Amino acid sequence: KFAKGARGDCNGDLAAPDDLEVALLAARILAQHKRYELAQMQLSRILQEDSLRTHPNLYVRALYQLAQILDHNDRFVQAVEALEKAKEIQKRHPDAEPLLRKTLQRSLQLGGLYQQIDPTVLQRWTSVNLEPLPNQLATVHLLGFPRSGTTLLEQILDAHEAVATSSERQVFSHEILPCMVTPNEDALDTWTRLNALTAAELNHLRRRYCTLMSATHAEPMRQITHVDKQPGNIDFLFGLVRLFPDARFIVMLRDPRDVILSNFFRYTADRPTGVNFLSWGSTSTVYLQSMEIWLYMRELLDPASWIECRYEQLCINFVEETRKVVEFLGHQLTPATLDYLSQTTNKYIHSPT
């Protein structure tokens, strides 16, 4: 009923919800329908000192929503002030500093790991004789950085009749990669384990990956191109290349300023990686690291195994950019692909950011 009222589908005043959590949801609905003044009225009920003491998480989320409303109304300075106030509150959380330290340790580990990879290593990895993937599946990994446009491209590709996409399923990072590396933070130990994987171990993990991915689809994935959209896996390119020597990669790129700003605006405290976006410096640093990994690996990989797609070009030259990516997958552009929007009307689109 509230959503209908926000759209103007029914008459009468919008009743003010008594519950603050519902008030935040109401503010989001109102903002989606550009009823910003009413949305701010809902938020003002949450942004009281009492709420900061009793419901600090709700208070922070309300500040993020307020920042987006202010941004839509071209009140950019006030929007950033609301964001920075929210992030200062988040930094006080007892888990914030330990998570930041863990992020730093992970960065050092990744840096040490990629220093070990050179053309000779890649040649050795790609020369291992592995079994074909089950059901003649061809796997392509859609990578990038959050807020770079991977969700848009995934929806476009999923509309193609010969393509099935998996939207940010953490199968590889949570279920497969831990079996390929050591549990500690030592880069040398991880490298030793990764390099020593046998063909039998790799074949087992490849089959497990396909089984777990297939379980997320309503129909069996047979003789199709499977696009695994998980932007964060760009940091784990070493593992993807080790497990899938014949894999192909689509890397989504966007103006770094837009990527950093967009991530800074998003509330991500419900995920461990959200601590990376609590300051302009840390947001820029994690973006830089991911892009440096890609730029390094790009020079080592077979040029035929990857393609870059720029978000801005996809928006400006939709047909030609889509054609390039679809042909990279080995297919022809179809009317259904260009009409992807009609297939997303009643579709759940999963994107953590």
Side-chain angles (χ1 to χ4, degrees):
K1 289 180 179 179
F2 198 93
K4 286 183 178 180
R7 291 195 303 267
D9 294 345
C10 63
N11 297 321
D13 295 331
L14 295 173
D18 295 327
D19 187 276
L20 293 182
E21 186 79 40
V22 179
L24 178 59
L25 177 60
R28 292 180 62 185
I29 293 172
L30 288 163
Q32 287 172 359
H33 295 284
K34 303 185 186 306
R35 304 186 72 173
Y36 298 125
E37 186 174 346
L38 288 174
Q40 285 188 251
M41 289 174 60
Q42 295 291 341
L43 293 175
S44 66
R45 299 177 54 241
I46 305 171
L47 296 173
Q48 305 292 331
E49 287 301 318
D50 286 345
S51 298
L52 178 56
R53 289 192 299 271
T54 59
H55 301 86
N57 183 51
L58 191 64
Y59 190 95
V60 166
R61 288 159 58 199
L63 282 172
Y64 274 86
Q65 184 63 57
L66 176 62
Q68 292 193 31
I69 292 173
L70 293 169
D71 182 60
H72 282 299
N73 285 281
D74 297 338
R75 296 170 64 186
F76 307 122
V77 173
Q78 294 93 328
V80 171
E81 288 175 349
L83 284 175
E84 292 180 337
K85 181 178 180 180
K87 292 176 189 294
E88 285 302 317
I89 297 170
Q90 289 177 279
K91 290 176 187 177
R92 299 176 203 156
H93 194 282
D95 292 339
E97 189 174 341
L99 282 172
L100 271 174
R101 287 200 300 268
K102 188 174 181 179
T103 298
L104 177 59
Q105 290 175 345
R106 176 178 171 273
S107 298
L108 293 173
Q109 182 191 29
L110 283 175
L113 198 57
Y114 280 103
Q115 287 178 5
Q116 307 293 328
I117 302 176
D118 58 26
T120 304
V121 169
L122 281 190
Q123 176 62 33
R124 185 168 69 252
W125 286 0
T126 55
S127 63
V128 177
N129 188 21
L130 299 176
E131 298 172 1
L133 294 176
N135 300 322
Q136 299 181 7
L137 197 65
T139 296
V140 180
H141 299 276
L142 176 52
L143 310 174
F145 195 83
R147 311 302 302 170
S148 291
T150 53
T151 300
L152 171 62
L153 184 58
E154 184 235 338
Q155 295 307 308
I156 295 169
L157 296 177
D158 195 48
H160 196 285
E161 300 84 342
V163 176
T165 66
S166 297
S167 180
E168 304 208 24
R169 307 294 182 184
Q170 296 181 325
V171 170
F172 180 77
S173 60
H174 283 48
E175 302 294 335
I176 305 300
L177 188 62
C179 301
M180 301 174 64
V181 299
T182 55
N184 60 43
E185 302 292 338
D186 186 83
L188 183 58
D189 288 349
T190 298
W191 168 252
T192 301
R193 166 63 181 153
L194 187 71
N195 214 28
L197 288 167
T198 66
E201 288 176 303
L202 292 170
N203 283 326
H204 169 72
L205 291 173
R206 284 158 62 90
R207 289 192 298 269
R208 177 167 171 75
Y209 170 87
C210 291
T211 298
L212 292 173
M213 275 299 184
S214 296
T216 67
H217 288 258
E219 299 178 359
M221 295 191 295
R222 302 180 185 276
Q223 297 183 340
I224 61 169
T225 301
H226 170 236
V227 177
D228 182 356
K229 175 237 175 180
Q230 181 54 270
N233 280 349
I234 196 167
D235 290 349
F236 307 131
L237 264 168
F238 66 89
L240 293 174
V241 174
R242 184 70 170 112
L243 190 64
F244 303 107
D246 55 347
R248 288 171 291 169
F249 304 97
I250 304 170
V251 179
M252 200 73 191
L253 301 175
R254 186 183 180 189
D255 188 316
R257 294 167 296 183
D258 289 328
V259 176
I260 292 169
L261 183 63
S262 186
N263 277 286
F264 197 73
F265 260 82
R266 292 299 178 268
Y267 174 79
T268 55
D270 54 339
R271 302 195 309 281
T273 54
V275 72
N276 295 328
F277 305 117
L278 292 185
S279 72
W280 292 107
S282 60
T283 304
S284 303
T285 298
V286 294
Y287 172 79
L288 177 63
Q289 182 186 47
S290 294
M291 291 300 101
E292 284 183 334
I293 288 172
W294 168 240
L295 292 175
Y296 178 73
M297 291 297 291
R298 185 178 69 175
E299 299 302 312
L300 300 178
L301 294 170
D302 181 351
S305 70
W306 58 268
I307 187 173
E308 293 177 341
C309 179
R310 294 191 172 273
Y311 173 78
E312 293 83 1
Q313 288 301 312
L314 183 61
C315 294
I316 297 171
N317 302 311
F318 171 71
V319 175
E320 286 309 309
E321 289 300 310
T322 301
R323 187 194 310 279
K324 285 197 302 186
V325 176
V326 170
E327 290 180 351
F328 169 75
L329 298 179
H331 305 298
Q332 296 297 313
L333 189 62
T334 63
T337 312
L338 297 179
D339 191 33
Y340 78 98
L341 280 175
S342 65
Q343 300 188 38
T344 63
T345 304
N346 297 310
K347 180 180 178 182
Y348 175 71
I349 299 176
H350 177 65
S351 177
T353 59

